[in-house]
Amino acid sequence: MRTARPRTGHLSQLGARRQRAERSHARPAHAHAGAARRLDGGRRLLLARIVAAALALLGAWLPASAAHAAGTVIIADRSPKEDDGRWKLKMTINYGGAPHLAHIPMLFAFTPTVHYERALTDQSPEKPILNKIPLQNQQGINESMDVGFSDGSGKIFAVTKFDFILRRDRGFEAGEYDLVIKRASDGVQMGQKQKITLQGDNAIIDRRAIVFTGEKKKKDDKADKADKADAEKSDGPAEEAEGEPASDAADAEPSSAELPPDEAPPPVSPKQGGCGCRLAPDEAAAPFALPLVALGAAVALARRRRGRRA
């Protein structure tokens, strides 16, 4: 036997869809309102958090900026040229309001960042070239000055014009510097950090390589040889004079016998006593002649006695 099956067609499917739609619309209205409220509450909470974070950042930035910078500083020429070892900075300082004193002590801190070096190199041995050498962790040059904000009548102004002179004898050289101006009383920075360039000519540094060659040594050897040749020439006549025979020298010098009577040496008077006799060189050479002399003296004395008796 065949059983009857329910027929499901297009109309039945449409009916099922209508039933589901009616069930969804049949939900209570307060459920939809609660979902909308929760969504709005989440959005408001997110917006409130964003605003609070922005206010916190703004509050943290404003005190920091107020503590680190006050007023403004404008420099007319940030690249002054050197004039007789000096550079002049013309500034316009705005205190941000009328100061409580007519003269405010300020600290001008110059930190070198680039040094302008003039050097002679192998490529340019005659004309110096400019080398810009970056510097790091350099000790700044601090200058303390009193900046006046009043005129001759004593009236105080918020803006003043101030000229600052930099000198080489204070340690400044041609190059680039970072300038920071602070109040000496509380350390508050005046304006922003500024970069200045001091134009000028620094001392020349010789960076040429030292070359050792043999040319100079050769020249010295030649000079030594020439000196030796000159010395030999100058010593030649002297050697020839020394090499002459002794007879010539004897002929050149006259003997004592040939000297005139005036130039002969004076006679030496003999001393009394037998020990003080001075002997001639011939007598000293022949001591046996002394007895002969004594014998002759005795014979002469005997003859004289005989002549007296006769």
Side-chain angles (χ1 to χ4, degrees), residues 15-223:
R17 291 177 180 175
R18 288 178 182 178
Q19 291 177 2
R20 288 195 295 268
E22 289 175 358
R23 289 176 183 176
S24 62
H25 289 294
R27 293 177 181 177
H30 62 84
H32 294 283
R37 289 175 182 175
R38 286 195 296 273
L39 182 60
D40 293 341
R43 290 178 179 176
R44 291 176 182 175
L45 181 61
L46 179 61
L47 182 60
R49 290 178 178 176
I50 293 174
V51 172
L55 291 176
L57 292 175
L58 183 62
W61 178 76
L62 285 177
S65 62
H68 289 83
T72 59
V73 178
I74 300 175
I75 301 178
D77 186 8
R78 296 186 182 181
S79 300
K81 295 182 180 181
E82 183 179 4
D83 183 13
D84 194 15
R86 302 181 302 171
W87 294 271
K88 180 183 288 187
L89 297 177
K90 297 181 178 181
M91 306 179 183
T92 301
I93 302 176
N94 187 347
Y95 196 78
H100 60 287
L101 295 175
H103 293 81
I104 304 297
M106 293 187 182
L107 180 65
F108 297 79
F110 297 84
T111 303
T113 57
V114 179
H115 177 67
Y116 289 176
E117 179 189 76
R118 299 173 66 223
L120 296 175
T121 61
D122 295 336
Q123 292 77 15
S124 180
E126 301 297 335
K127 183 178 180 181
I129 62 176
L130 179 62
N131 296 326
K132 296 183 179 181
I133 303 176
L135 304 176
Q136 294 181 356
N137 302 326
Q138 297 294 316
Q139 185 176 1
I141 303 175
N142 299 328
E143 297 285 346
S144 299
M145 297 291 292
D146 292 341
V147 181
F149 288 87
S150 62
D151 57 3
S153 62
K155 185 178 181 180
I156 298 177
F157 301 90
V159 181
T160 185
K161 291 186 177 181
F162 181 74
D163 294 343
F164 194 90
I165 305 298
L166 309 179
R167 301 177 182 273
R168 283 190 177 270
D169 55 5
R170 299 290 295 177
F172 291 95
E173 293 182 347
E176 299 178 7
Y177 296 80
D178 287 339
L179 172 60
V180 176
I181 305 175
K182 296 182 179 181
R183 292 199 300 240
S185 58
D186 52 6
V188 175
Q189 180 175 328
M190 298 295 298
Q192 302 297 326
K193 179 173 68 175
Q194 302 189 46
K195 181 179 179 181
I196 63 174
T197 302
L198 303 182
Q199 299 184 14
D201 295 335
N202 292 329
I204 299 176
I205 299 177
D206 192 353
R207 296 193 178 278
R208 292 174 294 181
I210 301 175
V211 180
F212 296 95
T213 60
E215 296 179 357
K216 187 175 181 180
K217 187 175 181 181
K218 292 180 180 178
K219 292 181 180 179
D220 294 341
D221 295 342
K222 292 180 180 179

